[in-house]
Amino acid sequence: METQNKRCISSERLSDTGFSYTLSLISGKYKMTILYTLMEFEVVRYNELQRYIKGISYKTLSLSLKELEHDGLILRKEYPQIPPKVEYRLSERGKSLMPILDGMCDWGNKNRL
């Protein structure tokens, strides 16, 4: 009898998978909400984001935006004026993530208890 190659969960390194990488980019309480807001409204200023996302603190929003920008999911454009004007939008890489987030939304709507 031939021995089949079976995967053993104890020998897997989930941290090296695409799933883990994707999760690392969108994990956090507000990152997916920020991405969805930018998908819906396309170009959004900081104060608008804070109004759209109820309950997010200044510090949390600022940190989340910096991480999303660092990961190449959003673009930040600063205008040299007073008072400062900064706009955020999805990058092409961020837009490519939207079908995945849409699928999660669809699943949640179908399976909500």
Side-chain angles (χ1 to χ4, degrees):
M1 188 163 103
E2 240 177 84
T3 309
Q4 291 180 331
N5 284 338
K6 291 187 177 181
R7 292 173 59 190
C8 179
I9 193 70
S10 64
S11 65
E12 293 293 324
R13 289 191 46 139
L14 294 177
S15 62
D16 294 338
T17 64
F19 173 80
S20 181
Y21 176 71
T22 304
L23 196 58
S24 76
L25 296 179
I26 61 173
S27 65
K29 187 172 180 180
Y30 294 102
K31 284 185 178 179
M32 287 190 281
T33 305
I34 291 167
L35 293 169
Y36 246 84
T37 302
L38 294 176
M39 180 188 73
E40 185 68 28
F41 297 105
E42 295 182 15
V43 177
V44 182
R45 294 178 65 181
Y46 185 92
N47 288 335
E48 292 172 322
L49 274 169
Q50 212 166 20
R51 279 195 301 273
Y52 293 142
I53 304 169
K54 304 279 189 253
I56 191 169
S57 70
Y58 176 89
K59 182 179 178 181
T60 301
L61 179 57
S62 181
L63 180 62
S64 297
L65 289 169
K66 285 177 184 173
E67 289 174 359
L68 290 167
E69 182 183 15
H70 177 265
D71 292 333
L73 298 177
I74 66 171
L75 300 172
R76 178 182 188 272
K77 184 171 184 179
E78 189 173 340
Y79 295 89
Q81 65 185 50
I82 297 178
K85 177 182 173 183
V86 179
E87 294 178 339
Y88 298 91
R89 67 172 35 97
L90 288 176
S91 66
E92 288 303 314
R93 186 174 191 213
K95 289 176 186 176
S96 72
L97 191 54
M98 289 303 105
I100 294 165
L101 298 184
D102 281 338
M104 291 174 68
C105 185
D106 291 342
W107 186 92
N109 286 331
K110 290 175 187 169
N111 292 280
R112 188 179 308 180
L113 299 177

